[in-house]
Amino acid sequence: MDAVVVEAFGGPEQASVVQVPVPRPAAGQVRIRVRAAGLNPVDGAVRAGVFGGSAPLGLGWDVAGEIDEVGEGVTGWTAGARVVALHYGPFKELGTHAEYVVLDADAVAPAPESVTAVEAAALPLSGLTAARALDQLGLVAGQSVLVTGAAGMVGGFAVQLAAAAGLVVTAVAGPQDEELVRGLGAAEFVARGSAPAEPVDGVLDAAVVGEEALAFARDGGAYVGLHPGSAPASVRGVRVSEQEVAADGTLLSRLSALVDQGALTLRVAATYPLADSSSAHLHLTKPGTRGRVVLTVA
């Protein structure tokens, strides 16, 4: 089968399509026939060698497709089921940028019924990151939350999820994105580089602003950062924590249901065939991309 791997770290041209054997699921696993796979900034970082490791490395975290084979001991899944999943981790032999991928069954969730596989492929990594970060803030309906990087994929999901949970959302983004983030559910808008009129109960720092974003939280409030090891030190009694995404089929199932309920919008910026992965990686480097770049598999 075709799969995208990095055999030498570097630019977009290092996203190579190679021939590898079709994997088989072990006990507790399922094999997914990939129809679409999101291309995330983390894939570009793996390709560039940001995390180190030893090449070759498989690329791809997000997947949408159908279950093709079920491993021993797996219940609740049958061949043909439309699914989405997160394949966590920067160091793997094969990722989701392939014709088939094998994953633990508990990482898999039903795909949203109301969208295509291409759209569904935009959900797992960014959606799970946003949902876990909001849960970590521990806010309740009526409280206020500020989301930096609100026009990005994680930030956009965070705005939508927070609004659906009854939080009062302040979105921080570039001036050109005010209409976009208000459409996602933000009650207030703050242009990047400015401060909100009032402190907020919680800050979800999707843009990794750090101390500047922490300053927006009220005394005794909460701050969640999304890059492990980069969160600022606590001040004024603000509870500071960091969130690292993990595969979670149960939570992903809830997000999938929210898509079908119309509470989550899936944004796709561009699609490329798997065979043209290097062009997709080049697109990923363009500033101002709004939505997920998605690889498609025939």
Side-chain angles (χ1 to χ4, degrees), residues 95 97 231 284:
H97 297 173
L284 191 67

Side-chain angles (χ1 to χ4, degrees), residues 32-290:
I32 298 172
R33 175 65 168 96
V34 179
R35 297 301 178 186
L39 176 61
N40 290 278
V42 69
D43 294 304
V46 171
R47 185 206 70 232
V50 171
F51 302 107
S54 300
L57 292 172
L59 294 178
W61 296 50
D62 290 332
V63 62
E66 302 96 34
I67 288 182
D68 171 72
E69 186 175 345
V70 176
E72 182 181 352
V74 173
T75 59
W77 292 115
T78 56
R82 293 181 63 242
V83 295
V84 290
L86 175 69
H87 191 1
Y88 173 84
F91 308 120
K92 49 206 176 194
E93 183 177 354
L94 289 176
T96 62
H97 297 173
E99 293 184 85
Y100 294 88
V101 65
V102 167
L103 295 173
D104 291 342
D106 60 8
V108 179
E113 297 179 357
S114 58
V115 300
T116 66
V118 167
E119 293 169 299
L123 177 62
L125 177 56
S126 294
L128 285 169
T129 300
R132 286 166 59 90
L134 276 175
D135 286 348
Q136 203 161 311
L137 281 174
L139 303 178
V140 298
Q143 288 190 292
S144 57
V145 63
L146 180 143
V147 179
T148 68
M153 288 300 291
V154 174
F157 279 130
V159 169
Q160 294 179 81
L161 290 168
L167 301 177
V168 180
V169 183
T170 296
V172 179
Q176 72 278 10
D177 290 317
E178 179 174 0
E179 182 178 354
L180 167 64
V181 297
R182 287 190 182 276
L184 295 175
E188 302 292 338
F189 173 80
V190 174
R192 189 185 303 118
S194 302
E198 299 289 340
V200 295
D201 295 307
V203 172
L204 195 158
D205 192 10
V208 197
V209 177
E211 291 181 1
E212 180 184 341
L214 179 64
F216 301 152
R218 64 169 174 79
D219 294 357
Y223 167 101
V224 171
L226 300 187
H227 280 198
S230 65
S234 175
V235 294
R236 300 178 288 103
V238 177
R239 175 172 51 85
V240 172
S241 61
E242 298 173 323
Q243 192 281 136
E244 184 171 0
V245 74
D248 185 337
T250 300
L251 178 55
L252 188 54
S253 293
R254 296 205 296 268
L255 296 177
S256 183
L258 287 173
V259 172
D260 285 334
Q261 294 165 19
L264 279 182
T265 300
L266 302 177
R267 296 179 288 156
V268 175
T271 61
Y272 292 85
L274 186 70
D276 197 14
S277 292
S278 59
S279 293
H281 276 255
L282 182 61
H283 190 123
L284 191 67
T285 67
K286 295 179 180 178
T289 298
R290 294 292 176 258

